[in-house]
Amino acid sequence: MSNKTNNNGSRLSRFYKVFDSENAFFRIMGVVFDLIELNLLTLLCCIPVVTAGASFTAMHNTLWHMVRGEAGYVHTHFFAAFKRNFKQATPVWLVCLAVIVVMAGDVMVLGRLDGALHAALLIVLVIVGILAVSVAQYYFVFLSRYDDPIKVHLRNAVMAAIGFFPRTAGMLVVLVAFGVLYAMLFVYIVPFLLLLGITLPQYCCALLYCPIFSRLEEGAEQ
């Protein structure tokens, strides 16, 4: 009798664990649904184009809370950060937008060149692109975390991109890998892009940069 009771209790325990909100499956699904909500908010707030910088900053602020497992609603973190950082995010984003437009024009010119000139321009574009993406990635993260002037955020972004180069390289690999995948399969993954196209690669990046900022903040407190 006791063995039967123990077996039933063990089965019930396993059953409850399957539907426990703290088990790995439900935690992962919780992160996925939060990323979907965040992706939709980010895209929505990028529609005017000029507000994209504030949208990216708010996204990074929300990802920070998610990676650290801090409680709160996605939309609450997002809109609070969007409103708080709009003024500082917008000028830098407009500069980024200008760089993107110029580089897009250069890529069009690149297709008409050949030989040494083609190779030289390609190398310049790759170097400028890597530098721009690296600095922009850190800038919007710094802006989402700290209240400093724009020039301080830019200086810190450059120093972080160089000083934590292995993690910077890791983020670049993540972004390039997703970018290539999107370019190759764009027609087939439009629904995925709408749901997770921005926030999934940036969540992977957040896993890389959050330890940097945790270390910086711990050092500042000592």
Side-chain angles (χ1 to χ4, degrees), residues 34 37 62 70-78:
D34 284 346
E37 180 183 356
T62 308
E70 296 175 357
Y73 295 105
V74 168
H75 62 274
T76 302
H77 289 306
F78 182 89

Side-chain angles (χ1 to χ4, degrees), residues 1-17:
M1 178 69 75
S2 61
N3 287 339
K4 185 175 181 180
T5 302
N6 289 338
N7 288 337
N8 288 337
S10 178
R11 289 172 184 171
L12 283 173
S13 178
R14 288 197 296 271
F15 176 80
Y16 287 130
K17 285 181 180 179

Side-chain angles (χ1 to χ4, degrees), residues 15-74:
F15 176 80
Y16 287 130
K17 285 181 180 179
V18 170
F19 294 97
D20 184 359
S21 62
E22 293 301 316
N23 80 27
F25 174 78
F26 283 105
R27 288 202 303 271
I28 292 172
M29 292 308 298
V31 170
V32 170
F33 284 120
D34 284 346
L35 288 176
I36 290 173
E37 180 183 356
L38 181 58
N39 199 80
L40 294 174
L41 289 173
T42 303
L43 287 174
L44 180 65
C45 292
C46 283
I47 289 176
V49 180
V50 72
T51 61
S55 184
F56 294 146
T57 304
M59 175 194 67
H60 283 296
N61 180 271
T62 308
L63 288 172
W64 171 270
H65 291 290
M66 288 177 61
V67 170
R68 289 168 64 93
E70 296 175 357
Y73 295 105
V74 168

Side-chain angles (χ1 to χ4, degrees), residues 106-122:
D106 289 340
V107 169
M108 295 176 65
V109 172
L110 186 66
R112 302 174 185 174
L113 301 177
D114 53 18
L117 193 57
H118 178 279
L121 182 56
L122 179 61

Side-chain angles (χ1 to χ4, degrees), residues 88-161:
Q88 281 192 306
T90 302
V92 174
W93 163 245
L94 292 177
V95 172
C96 292
L97 191 59
V99 171
I100 292 170
V101 171
V102 171
M103 291 189 68
D106 289 340
V107 169
M108 295 176 65
V109 172
L110 186 66
R112 302 174 185 174
L113 301 177
D114 53 18
L117 193 57
H118 178 279
L121 182 56
L122 179 61
I123 292 172
V124 170
L125 286 176
V126 169
I127 293 173
V128 172
I130 289 174
L131 292 174
V133 171
S134 300
V135 174
Q137 181 78 3
Y138 280 107
Y139 173 82
F140 290 115
V141 179
F142 271 107
L143 178 57
S144 74
R145 295 296 305 156
Y146 310 112
D147 294 321
D148 289 313
I150 290 177
K151 64 180 181 180
V152 174
H153 287 313
L154 287 173
R155 183 193 65 198
N156 291 339
V158 172
M159 292 174 62

